[in-house]
Amino acid sequence: MTIFHISAECFPIAKVGGLGDVVGALPKYQNKLGETSSVIMPFYNNKFTHSHTFKKVFSGRFNLGRTFNFDILTLEDNTLGYDLYLVHIPELLYTDYVYSSNDTERFLGFQIAALDWLVQLKTLPDIVHCHDHHTGLIPFMMSQSYAYHKLRNTPTVITIHNGQYQGWFSHNKIHLIPPFDFSKAGLLDWKHLINPLASAIKCAWKVTTVSPNYMEELKFAANGLEDLLRYESGKCVGILNGIDDKVWDPATDDSLIKNYSVKTANSGKKVNKEWLCKEFNLNPELPLFAFIGRLVGEKGADLLPEIFNNSLYHKNLSIMMLGSGDAVVEQELDRLKNQYPGFYNTYIGYNERLAHILYAAADFLVMPSRVEPCGLNQMYALRYGTVPIVNKVGGLKDTVEDFDNSGFGILHDGATVQEGSFAIHRAINFYNDTDRFKKNRNLIMKIDHSWDSSAQVYINLYNSLIL
Ligand code: ADP
């Protein structure tokens, strides 16, 4: 079966968060299962496109208020584990960022160019798998736009990685969508706006979310799409994300200061911790707590300054924070450095290598998220022998069990300062129970969250759609 994933992000080409990790891994695992799974994404102006060479497989032009030329490029030399097709629209997508304020035009152009190429292929795809709102108009265009008539019987799947962002825009831009029977315009609309994510939920053959629990939560909190998701629940299913266990393997990860396996976890983690603590002026004798992520409300980032302040007061732990986002939260988190030198530090920004080292160096990873569609960080933490401390929400609820309830992590019930601070207090007690803590470390490293099983679940889902 030929599957095309269409996405704004794909690791290692361009990644902002978990979407990139998923699209960079899932096709690889689907190919391992004998399918032909490829990725279509924008050609950005970034390190990856500068350091690789490409060949052109198609050229075209489309109208989006005016004419835009585009090329479809593929790698000369590909070791990714899946075919990669990059949509090069110099005037829209060749930017050094992934997202910006004119994303309506940028991603509309991306979707139109991708379909203009797909529709003329000698062998049409068996499945078109869209990811998030940036590709949400594809199911509509494939089923309604005259230009893509040949693709109308090709099944489409939309995966919701984050339902809060929907990409809505005004109806006065409806003329930018390739011509279709206007009586079908309702399929684009939600609450008097063109809403790409809502349209995808209406038009795709299947809707998936990145964890089963998130699917249920969206029926009650989906930034306005609750009713729609309840109405369409017959075609909705939650499939837990996996992790790329080749990229995220402490035994081979070349970002680490020292590699380690389950057997050598204690000594291996110690070397990484000592390096990190030296680099960031922290005490390596104390349990090390980490936060890695976007500093936004969904991640509970606004709670962190107070949670950290409460915990650091006792000076019995070290904390390292890696992230960027809300400017006020960034400032508050940075300010704590003056209060607790030697116990607390931050790296404000995005740093892929530091994230890998931090998963390896830390004893605990804190995730007081309010919303977590799946969450990959807790799964990376487990694989690196780091205990996740998580709020019981979304995919975190599906993947972490509390150590006091014959589990292996720390769960708290509610994204509040009190719950978060108390969870850290429990973690320190757990850490001080040395034998139990070390046994737990070995246990969590063996939990299999690789894509092997979920990739098969997606294949089964596609098979159910092929007539
Ligand atoms: P989301 O996609 O909502 O941001 P996920 O948990 O699904 O959250 O994925 C987050 C991914 O982004 C992980 O791979 C994590 O390590 C990475 N990440 C987030 N912030 C940073 C950062 N500041 N530096 C490096 N990696 C980061």
Side-chain angles (χ1 to χ4, degrees):
M1 155 171 41
T2 44
I3 305 142
F4 283 91
H5 291 272
I6 312 187
S7 168
E9 295 178 42
C10 174
F11 179 83
I13 300 98
K15 163 179 165 182
V16 176
L19 169 64
D21 283 342
V22 171
V23 179
L26 176 58
K28 210 185 316 186
Y29 285 77
Q30 292 181 330
N31 286 337
K32 256 175 50 183
L33 292 169
E35 311 299 344
T36 306
S37 188
S38 314
V39 172
I40 307 176
M41 69 174 298
F43 187 83
Y44 298 114
N45 176 7
N46 66 14
K47 209 165 139 194
F48 186 91
T49 55
H50 292 179
S51 57
H52 290 80
T53 48
F54 301 89
K55 58 177 183 248
K56 201 189 297 180
V57 293
F58 184 73
S59 288
R61 57 173 50 184
F62 59 84
N63 195 295
L64 198 71
R66 65 186 177 85
T67 303
F68 288 88
N69 293 313
F70 72 92
D71 293 323
I72 305 288
L73 306 173
T74 191
L75 280 166
E76 290 272 7
D77 197 10
N78 188 347
T79 53
L80 292 170
Y82 48 87
D83 285 338
L84 174 71
Y85 298 98
L86 298 170
V87 177
H88 188 25
I89 314 175
E91 291 168 272
L92 284 178
L93 294 175
Y94 192 61
T95 51
D96 57 8
Y97 46 81
V98 173
Y99 304 116
S100 78
S101 53
N102 68 330
D103 280 354
T104 299
E105 281 77 11
R106 291 175 74 232
F107 288 111
L108 203 44
F110 169 57
Q111 296 172 86
I112 291 169
L115 289 182
D116 281 357
W117 173 58
L118 286 179
V119 75
Q120 59 75 55
L121 290 177
K122 268 198 205 106
T123 314
L124 294 177
D126 292 310
I127 295 286
V128 171
H129 189 150
C130 307
H131 296 268
D132 272 352
H133 73 84
H134 325 100
T135 57
L137 293 173
I138 285 177
F140 174 85
M141 293 196 277
M142 281 174 60
S143 57
Q144 304 301 331
S145 288
Y146 304 125
Y148 309 124
H149 191 67
K150 270 171 76 183
L151 291 168
R152 73 192 182 288
N153 292 324
T154 303
T156 48
V157 176
I158 175 82
T159 293
I160 305 175
H161 297 255
N162 193 328
Q164 300 304 303
Y165 307 103
Q166 298 165 11
W168 53 64
F169 56 92
S170 157
H171 273 280
N172 64 23
K173 291 189 178 176
I174 201 162
H175 63 282
L176 299 179
I177 298 170
F180 57 92
D181 172 357
F182 220 70
S183 70
K184 300 290 167 51
L187 291 170
L188 294 166
D189 180 87
W190 192 250
K191 300 189 178 167
H192 312 300
L193 288 167
I194 294 179
N195 183 318
L197 189 63
S199 172
I201 295 167
K202 293 180 194 185
C203 299
W205 294 34
K206 283 279 181 191
V207 177
T208 73
T209 57
V210 289
S211 70
N213 190 43
Y214 187 53
M215 184 84 254
E216 291 314 305
E217 287 177 358
L218 281 179
K219 291 177 189 162
F220 300 93
N223 205 4
L225 300 186
E226 302 79 9
D227 277 351
L228 178 61
L229 281 158
R230 268 183 249 158
Y231 176 73
E232 298 284 8
S233 62
K235 65 174 180 185
C236 295
V237 55
I239 302 174
L240 191 68
N241 278 342
I243 61 172
D244 187 329
D245 61 355
K246 304 289 175 296
V247 174
W248 295 94
D249 180 357
T252 54
D253 186 337
D254 55 17
S255 294
L256 300 193
I257 307 304
K258 186 163 178 61
N259 291 112
Y260 58 91
S261 60
V262 177
K263 275 194 186 139
T264 56
N266 293 331
S267 58
K269 279 184 76 71
K270 191 162 176 254
V271 174
N272 287 288
K273 184 174 176 179
E274 279 168 352
W275 180 90
L276 189 112
C277 288
K278 192 156 178 242
E279 195 74 9
F280 290 94
N281 183 33
L282 298 168
N283 183 347
E285 300 305 321
L286 299 175
L288 176 63
F289 290 70
F291 174 88
I292 302 169
R294 294 180 294 120
L295 299 177
V296 295
E298 285 182 354
K299 302 283 178 198
D302 51 304
L303 307 171
L304 291 174
E306 226 179 312
I307 293 177
F308 289 165
N309 192 27
N310 287 347
S311 311
L312 285 161
Y313 177 77
H314 304 286
K315 299 201 166 163
N316 57 358
L317 78 170
S318 294
I319 299 178
M320 179 65 203
M321 200 297 303
L322 165 62
S324 63
D326 185 292
V328 175
V329 177
E330 283 184 4
Q331 272 170 15
E332 284 180 21
L333 284 167
D334 230 23
R335 208 177 303 135
L336 275 183
K337 283 201 288 202
N338 304 327
Q339 250 173 289
Y340 301 103
F343 294 93
Y344 172 82
N345 214 334
T346 62
Y347 179 106
I348 305 286
Y350 188 94
N351 187 325
E352 187 75 23
R353 174 158 192 246
L354 182 57
H356 282 245
I357 298 174
L358 201 44
Y359 287 115
D363 298 296
F364 297 96
L365 182 83
V366 296
M367 299 181 74
S369 308
R370 293 188 175 89
V371 179
E372 198 61 81
C374 174
L376 295 170
N377 298 18
Q378 79 281 12
M379 297 198 260
Y380 298 146
L382 291 168
R383 181 128 170 93
Y384 283 62
T386 301
V387 177
I389 303 176
V390 306
N391 183 32
K392 216 156 115 188
V393 71
L396 298 176
K397 196 171 161 190
D398 287 323
T399 50
V400 180
E401 286 163 42
D402 196 273
F403 75 102
D404 265 348
N405 201 9
S406 41
F408 47 82
I410 296 179
L411 279 174
H412 55 89
D413 208 348
T416 64
V417 169
Q418 229 173 359
E419 285 287 336
S421 309
F422 186 62
I424 289 183
H425 170 76
R426 289 182 65 216
I428 294 173
N429 288 342
F430 187 23
Y431 179 85
N432 290 332
D433 191 348
T434 317
D435 284 346
R436 188 176 177 198
F437 187 74
K438 283 187 178 161
K439 263 193 212 136
N440 188 66
R441 175 175 280 168
N442 289 359
L443 182 109
I444 59 180
M445 287 181 72
K446 289 186 207 147
I447 299 174
D448 181 7
H449 275 303
S450 80
W451 267 108
D452 287 320
S453 63
S454 292
Q456 184 63 55
V457 178
Y458 275 109
I459 303 288
N460 297 346
L461 180 96
Y462 303 153
N463 273 324
S464 73
L465 301 176
I466 294 174
L467 305 173

